[in-house]
Amino acid sequence: MIDSHCHLADDAFAGDADAVIDRARAAGVHQALCILDAGHPTELERASALRHAWPSLRFAVGVHPHQAHAHAARLEQVAQTVERALDAVEGACAVGEIGLDFHYDFSPRELQAVVLRTQVRLAAERGLPVVIHARLSEGDVLDVLEQAGRRRLRGVFHCFTGDRQTVERVLRAGFFVGVGGILTFTRAHDVRDTIRQVPLERVLIETDSPYLAPTPHRGKRNEPAWVARVAEALAELHGVSCETVVAQTSRNFAELFGERDR
Ligand SMILES: [Zn+2]
Ligand SMILES: [Zn+2]
């Protein structure tokens, strides 16, 4: 079982990351993709200790749309910041998470768009997959990806909450759909209806730890071990066994991010 999106280098895990990793492995989670903020030196420094504790751990580095404002004064350096982080972090295999967030709007939209386009270009140049964060902005993100996509850009829309038409466009563009704890929330009927339309061959499971803990842990700090709850919910949704979900989503992860380190 693979947690395709977690923030293990976040301050939330600074005190007990080793115990969190032990619990994940004990729960059958054999790998995870840890998202790092390229502009956050402490997170980048934590990567090597995390990987020492969990050798199969892989990383994505990028500038999150929430953080775009922090780069406003030196937008021309965003690509270099991400490139340096990619080169510095052993096990880095993707650019992310990157995207647009029109729900929180923590950074001006035009600034978010510039930072996204820069990183999409970088990923295309490097032949790396992208981890996409899109809230109320999936169409705009797809426009950017499709403009850059002549070189067959690949990636995942993590924690997907868009509607049916949007998910069809994501699938047509060749992207994977990331599914997390929201799938387990009692009232998340719309998300379940959308995800039911997505073939298992195109789904990745994730926690987005420390955020979005699945039921029955909702409201607590999330952790990679609980990706098992997401796998169960997805299995139930598709009427297949949990083993089927785990095997297929693990194959999908390998297809997108590669079998081994670069
Ligand atoms: Zn996100
Ligand atoms: Zn995230």
Side-chain angles (χ1 to χ4, degrees):
M1 192 164 18
I2 300 177
D3 181 359
S4 68
H5 190 115
C6 60
H7 296 264
L8 273 180
D10 189 275
D11 287 345
F13 297 111
D16 64 344
D18 285 356
V20 169
I21 289 170
D22 287 346
R23 281 198 294 277
R25 297 172 90 171
V29 183
H30 69 275
Q31 194 171 35
L33 182 71
C34 174
I35 311 297
L36 300 172
D37 178 349
H40 194 311
T42 313
E43 283 206 358
L44 299 178
E45 277 162 27
R46 284 173 183 152
S48 66
L50 290 168
R51 194 157 138 107
H52 186 73
W54 198 357
S56 63
L57 192 63
R58 309 275 288 278
F59 299 93
V61 299
V63 175
H64 193 289
H66 288 346
Q67 296 300 328
H69 63 87
H71 300 265
R74 41 184 204 293
L75 282 174
E76 70 289 349
Q77 287 174 28
V78 167
Q80 194 183 39
T81 300
V82 177
E83 280 202 281
R84 279 199 185 137
L86 282 169
D87 292 337
V89 173
E90 202 185 330
C93 65
V95 176
E97 60 186 293
I98 61 176
L100 302 172
D101 193 313
F102 296 166
H103 175 70
Y104 287 109
D105 276 324
F106 285 155
S107 296
R109 292 183 180 184
E110 187 44 42
L111 200 56
Q112 294 186 42
V114 172
V115 170
L116 170 62
R117 283 196 294 267
T118 299
Q119 296 179 93
V120 165
R121 209 177 303 130
L122 173 64
E125 278 166 18
R126 286 224 174 183
L128 291 174
V130 289
V131 177
I132 297 294
H133 172 105
R135 286 216 48 201
L136 304 182
S137 62
E138 289 86 353
D140 296 73
V141 173
L142 281 159
D143 289 343
V144 172
L145 294 172
E146 284 167 1
Q147 282 160 19
R150 293 196 185 86
R151 293 198 237 179
R152 290 295 303 148
L153 201 64
R154 295 155 49 78
V156 55
F157 275 66
H158 106 89
C159 194
F160 190 83
T161 52
D163 60 18
R164 277 192 193 200
Q165 286 91 331
T166 311
V167 88
E168 280 166 18
R169 206 176 147 201
V170 166
L171 294 172
R172 271 201 306 278
F175 281 74
F176 287 85
V177 176
V179 173
I182 293 175
L183 201 64
T184 68
F185 295 174
T186 316
R187 290 190 200 162
H189 303 292
D190 292 352
V191 170
R192 278 189 290 275
D193 285 347
T194 304
I195 298 304
R196 204 179 277 117
Q197 308 301 313
V198 181
L200 270 185
E201 290 73 23
R202 301 294 290 282
V203 177
L204 297 180
I205 53 174
E206 63 169 77
T207 58
D208 205 10
S209 316
Y211 314 106
L212 289 172
T215 310
H217 309 292
R218 200 169 172 185
K220 296 188 193 145
R221 181 189 71 172
N222 198 1
E223 60 176 72
W226 297 344
V227 76
R229 282 288 302 122
V230 178
E232 282 168 20
L234 190 59
E236 195 177 316
L237 193 68
H238 279 279
V240 298
S241 70
C242 208
E243 291 72 24
T244 301
V245 164
V246 167
Q248 185 60 53
T249 55
S250 297
R251 278 197 292 275
N252 299 346
F253 183 92
E255 189 189 324
L256 180 58
F257 297 111
E259 294 278 357
R260 56 185 74 223
D261 294 342
R262 282 187 297 138

